[in-house]
Amino acid sequence: MKNESPGIGIIGGSGLYEMEELREPTEIQIETPFGAPSDVLVGGKVGGRQVYFLPRHGRGHRILPHELNHRANIYALRSLNVRWIISVGAVGSLQEKYAPRDVLLPSQFYDRTSGRAAQTFFGEGIAAHIAFAEPISTKLRNLLAESARSLGVTVHNGGTYVNMDGPAFSTRAESELNRRNGFDVIGMTNLPEAKLAREAEIAFAAMAMITDYDCWKVEEEAVSAQTVLGHLLANAETAKKVLLDVIPRIPTEPNWPEHSALDTALVTERKLWPAATVEKLKPILGRVLEK
């Protein structure tokens, strides 16, 4: 199933499980070669644009970070001709200047995860190494910053998101080390999405919604699922406001650098590509196969 006009994908994180603002909503069940996505996707219109919403952890929050099938999630969105993704997720602040209910728009990632195979579509006869020095779409990040500022949201444009495995929160020693390394926020989900989105030639930006100070700030209560609930709900409403404002402002033509990322990434000669792998990766390789 493929929508001809390029779409915008929204991945909703903790607290954001649906977007009631979608007009003419349609549920879309997609099975991918990598398994099932987190939930059914909901397609609809926002400001005249085609949008697909996917709750990262499933409706009702049933899936832990290490259980997420990121490949299925991004593959499903790309198969619907999604060319921009805004990923919303809860994070802990590692710096005093970022307070709960602020929004940070990461410009960099640091990987502390242990899953490598699940962070690429390639292999099985086709080798690719994407350029990832700038892991976030700068243009999409700046559009988000403009929308957030225009709405009076406290937003920080740029910063480093350290991605840990979870599902347990940090120890204090880990939190202190991350602070000393100069990282800004910590989360459990966004980096694999960013890697896979780049391979799928999708422009990707993240909205890191701050819920707590991790556990480094000893005068604050250490982070727990209960303490962040109120912040989660407030952050979800903030995220929706920003999304409704930014979606109509995203270009309609996918001509940003991220939209041709595979031009410099594919290593294996095309004549050596196994037919079965090409078939499996058709939504990912579609633009390249048409050349």
Side-chain angles (χ1 to χ4, degrees):
M1 179 174 184
K2 184 175 177 179
N3 183 48
E4 286 311 311
S5 76
I8 298 163
I10 307 297
I11 300 177
S14 301
L16 183 58
Y17 307 113
E18 57 186 342
M19 277 189 74
E20 305 89 339
E21 296 80 4
L22 285 176
R23 299 285 169 258
E24 306 163 36
T26 306
E27 290 197 349
I28 306 160
Q29 189 89 45
I30 295 182
E31 194 64 38
T32 82
F34 300 96
S38 294
D39 210 322
V40 296
L41 289 88
V42 181
K45 294 291 177 70
V46 172
R49 300 297 299 277
Q50 183 61 47
V51 174
Y52 297 96
F53 179 81
L54 177 65
R56 180 188 294 112
H57 300 281
R59 284 176 286 191
H61 203 120
R62 298 170 285 106
I63 307 169
L64 282 168
H66 71 282
E67 298 176 311
L68 288 169
N69 190 339
H70 293 292
R71 287 189 292 189
N73 288 347
I74 302 299
Y75 188 103
L77 288 164
R78 185 66 182 87
S79 71
L80 293 166
N81 202 20
V82 162
R83 304 307 304 276
W84 298 267
I85 288 176
I86 300 170
S87 178
V88 181
V91 298
S93 167
L94 294 168
Q95 305 296 335
E96 188 84 45
K97 59 187 173 182
Y98 309 129
R101 305 197 185 190
D102 286 5
V103 180
L104 185 135
L105 306 174
S107 50
Q108 283 293 330
F109 287 105
Y110 190 85
D111 192 358
R112 285 236 160 102
T113 65
S114 52
R116 188 161 65 167
Q119 294 183 12
T120 181
F121 291 114
F122 291 97
E124 298 180 10
I126 304 180
H129 300 279
I130 51 159
F132 206 54
E134 301 297 332
I136 292 283
S137 167
T138 302
K139 291 183 178 181
L140 189 52
R141 174 168 58 85
N142 287 338
L143 283 177
L144 282 165
E146 290 164 17
S147 283
R149 286 193 192 111
S150 74
L151 295 165
V153 173
T154 303
V155 61
H156 308 275
N157 189 7
T160 299
Y161 174 127
V162 55
N163 204 130
M164 65 185 289
D165 272 330
F169 294 118
S170 303
T171 67
R172 189 160 283 124
E174 291 166 339
S175 198
E176 290 290 359
L177 179 63
N178 287 327
R179 273 171 55 72
R180 286 199 299 276
N181 281 335
F183 302 143
D184 295 293
V185 294
I186 185 163
M188 302 178 188
T189 57
N190 281 177
L191 177 63
E193 295 172 346
K195 284 185 178 177
L196 292 160
R198 183 63 55 85
E199 287 191 348
E201 298 192 322
I202 297 170
F204 177 94
M207 292 178 67
M209 316 297 291
I210 296 171
T211 58
D212 57 85
Y213 282 107
D214 205 34
C215 63
W216 62 269
K217 198 171 182 184
V218 290
E219 64 269 29
E220 297 270 333
E221 184 182 356
V223 58
S224 72
Q226 281 70 38
T227 58
V228 304
L229 190 58
H231 296 318
L232 278 178
L233 298 175
N235 285 347
E237 291 309 307
T238 297
K240 286 180 189 178
K241 284 196 303 183
V242 175
L243 290 169
L244 291 176
D245 187 81
V246 79
I247 285 168
R249 301 171 58 230
I250 294 172
T252 55
E253 286 299 313
N255 56 12
W256 290 351
E258 298 84 12
H259 296 128
S260 55
L262 291 180
D263 284 353
T264 57
L266 291 158
V267 177
T268 311
E269 280 189 76
R270 188 160 169 176
K271 65 184 180 184
L272 299 177
W273 292 1
T277 306
V278 171
E279 183 62 31
K280 176 182 178 180
L281 296 182
K282 259 189 178 169
I284 308 299
L285 291 170
R287 187 189 62 83
V288 177
L289 294 172
E290 289 166 6
K291 291 169 87 176

